[in-house]
């Protein structure tokens, strides 16, 4: 049973550039969430996708956008990169409507460095 | 808004017991989760409490008091492999609205021989 996969694992960009990160959810999951984790801090919620639509959004600027495809995979796009965007970007998948537990399965993350 | 407070670091020896406290303030509350993250790794789910009381899973237990907006994770019979960061997280929206998690800053647990 394949878990959550993300690509690439590492990425180096310069300020002002654009980046696209990719995520494939765990088999059987239909909801994808993206989190940003700065060094030494907890993950911060960016947004969540379900049925190819953004359902919830955290306190992130419009430079952060996303997409979900019919096969439930997802992309995170960040435009006009800033030094402060350097972080580990985590994708988490879950099955919508599950109750009794709150398990989200996280991928290994993409380490983005902005120079 | 939402905020979660947990200690930044705890050090203990192998075989000991460690309790990581978490207090939270949220506009809505549907449950408290705990995640473990080793350096360079992904957060992995440990436990979830939606109702008051203690949940036990092997060496790890988690407790929730909704009236006190407080929970804790108990790590028993500490092993070297338990050295990691532990995060409490609140789910503040339920049902079809989604399951966004708000995380605390994390507690770094260092287990010494």
């Amino acid at each position: 049973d394949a878990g959550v996969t993300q690509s690439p694992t590492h990425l180096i960009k310069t300020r002002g550039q654009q980046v696209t990160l990719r995520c494939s959810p765990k088999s059987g999951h239909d909801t994808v969430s993206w989190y940003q984790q700065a060094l030494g801090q907890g993950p911060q919620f960016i947004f969540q996708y379900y049925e190819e639509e953004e359902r919830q959004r955290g306190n992130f600027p419009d430079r952060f956008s996303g997409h979900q495809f019919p096969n439930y995979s997802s992309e995170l796009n960040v435009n006009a990169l800033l030094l402060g965007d350097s972080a580990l970007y985590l994708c988490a998948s879950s099955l919508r409507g599950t109750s009794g537990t709150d398990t989200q399965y996280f991928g290994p993350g993409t380490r983005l460095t902005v120079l | 808004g939402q905020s979660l407070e947990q200690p930044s670091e705890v050090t203990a020896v192998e075989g000991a017991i460690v309790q990581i406290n978490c207090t939270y303030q949220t506009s809505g509350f549907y449950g408290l989760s705990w995640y473990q993250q080793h350096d360079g790794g992904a957060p992995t789910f440990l436990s979830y409490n939606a109702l008051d009381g203690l949940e036990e899973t092997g060496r790890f237990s988690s407790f929730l008091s909704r009236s006190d907006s407080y929970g804790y994770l108990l790590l028993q019979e500490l092993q070297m492999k338990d050295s990691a960061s532990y995060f409490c997280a609140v789910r503040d929206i339920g049902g079809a609205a989604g399951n966004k998690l708000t995380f605390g800053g994390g507690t770094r647990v260092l287990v010494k021989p």
Side-chain angles (χ1 to χ4, degrees), chain A residues 60-86:
Chain A
F60 279 80
D62 292 345
R63 298 187 297 108
F64 290 76
S65 63
H67 189 78
Q68 186 180 35
F69 300 93
N71 66 352
Y72 307 121
S73 67
S74 176
E75 288 182 350
L76 164 66
N77 301 291
V78 187
N79 295 321
L81 283 168
L82 304 174
L83 295 179
D85 295 332
S86 295

Side-chain angles (χ1 to χ4, degrees), chain A:
Chain A
D1 180 19
V4 180
T5 60
Q6 293 185 243
S7 63
T9 54
H10 295 83
L11 204 52
I12 299 175
K13 293 285 189 179
T14 57
R15 281 177 298 175
Q17 285 190 309
Q18 178 265 343
V19 68
T20 297
L21 311 181
R22 296 175 175 82
C23 171
S24 291
K26 179 179 169 62
S27 178
H29 284 183
D30 58 5
T31 301
V32 173
S33 303
W34 287 92
Y35 293 82
Q36 179 195 66
Q37 186 176 25
L39 199 62
Q41 297 183 22
Q44 299 290 314
F45 178 79
I46 302 175
F47 42 53
Q48 184 176 86
Y49 278 83
Y50 171 67
E51 289 186 336
E52 302 178 48
E53 289 190 18
E54 183 183 293
R55 300 293 178 169
Q56 289 181 270
R57 189 177 182 92
N59 189 25
F60 279 80
D62 292 345
R63 298 187 297 108
F64 290 76
S65 63
H67 189 78
Q68 186 180 35
F69 300 93
N71 66 352
Y72 307 121
S73 67
S74 176
E75 288 182 350
L76 164 66
N77 301 291
V78 187
N79 295 321
L81 283 168
L82 304 174
L83 295 179
D85 295 332
S86 295
L88 180 67
Y89 288 84
L90 295 162
C91 168
S93 76
S94 57
L95 181 61
R96 194 110 173 152
T98 51
S99 61
T101 183
D102 194 44
T103 305
Q104 289 196 25
Y105 292 82
F106 283 82
T110 294
R111 172 71 63 185
L112 173 65
T113 302
V114 182
L115 302 177

Side-chain angles (χ1 to χ4, degrees), chain B residues 57-77:
Chain B
T57 308
R59 295 187 296 114
F60 296 173
S61 303
S62 59
F63 172 83
L64 175 66
S65 170
R66 295 172 67 116
S67 60
D68 295 323
S69 298
Y70 163 77
Y72 66 72
L73 178 69
L74 195 68
L75 315 179
Q76 301 180 74
E77 300 173 21

